[in-house]
Amino acid sequence: MIVDDHEVVRRGIAEVVERTDGMTVVAEAGSVADGVRRATLVRPQVLLVDLQLPDGTGIDLMKAVRETLPDARAIVLTSFDDDDALALALDAGASAYLLKSVRGAEITDVIRAVAAGRTLLDDRTVARRRAGHEDPTESLTPSELRVLDLIGEGMSNREIAERLGVAEKTVKNHITSLLAKMGLQRRTQVAAWVASRKNSGWRAEPGH
């Protein structure tokens, strides 16, 4: 079951899932209330849940569904690479946490693993990410911070090199270094991190 308030996103994910052997989308929903109601009716094995929904958050949805369907497994699919959101998702019973920059094949691989009973994040993972890293950019050099900002503006490596007046290879070296320092793996995760900081926060409402 897919819960996301953007119909285009839901349709895209549904198409990827439906093309995969052994998987069927049993329902779609665009809000917490609709998601809880439909989940009770169709009893999905796995829920793919966005964090931001019009009437609350994916955390609210997961907690409500667990009360009636304790065996249902949940995967958070979001644009927010946020330690607090990750920790709350874990507390709410999520079995995996994916960014929307993920490839379609990765989504189905994770769904299959979660349906088989695997958990792709755990308390130790969250603890490692949070321990001493309230600001994952604190160890970045001024040059790396500038590259970070420009990635967040959507610039390519070549555009960043031109803006800073350096070689493109230098930009790539900066990116490799800042990824390692921030504990990230891909450039797209950097862009998502910057976007999440520019946004007022992943929560649907301030303080929600």
Side-chain angles (χ1 to χ4, degrees), residues 12-139:
I13 297 170
E15 287 179 15
V16 170
V17 173
E18 292 283 5
R19 286 201 304 265
T20 305
D21 290 340
M23 291 188 193
T24 304
V25 177
V26 294
E28 296 179 27
S31 67
V32 174
D34 197 27
V36 172
R37 183 178 62 81
R38 290 176 187 245
T40 303
L41 291 172
V42 302
R43 306 181 73 81
Q45 185 179 2
V46 177
L47 292 98
L48 201 61
V49 182
D50 190 11
L51 277 181
Q52 277 192 317
L53 296 167
D55 56 344
T57 70
I59 305 297
D60 300 327
L61 173 69
M62 287 187 287
K63 288 180 177 177
V65 170
R66 283 184 75 187
E67 291 180 6
T68 54
L69 300 171
D71 293 332
R73 312 271 289 170
I75 299 168
V76 169
L77 181 65
T78 180
S79 56
F80 294 97
D81 187 13
D82 182 293
D83 285 348
D84 290 336
L86 174 59
L88 287 169
L90 178 67
D91 291 341
S95 297
Y97 190 98
L98 291 174
L99 292 181
K100 286 185 176 178
S101 54
V102 71
R103 291 180 295 118
E106 290 180 69
I107 291 177
T108 53
D109 286 346
V110 170
I111 292 172
R112 197 180 302 280
V114 168
R118 289 180 58 197
T119 296
L120 304 185
L121 52 82
D122 56 31
D123 291 298
R124 290 187 301 277
T125 301
V126 176
R128 277 200 304 272
R129 288 194 61 179
R130 302 194 71 180
H133 293 287
E134 291 303 319
D135 179 4
T137 66
E138 62 188 0
S139 62

Side-chain angles (χ1 to χ4, degrees), residues 146-163:
R146 186 71 181 127
V147 170
L148 178 80
D149 288 338
L150 296 176
I151 289 175
E153 291 178 20
M155 288 191 178
S156 67
N157 289 358
R158 179 174 295 178
E159 289 169 335
I160 293 173
E162 291 174 357
R163 172 71 70 87

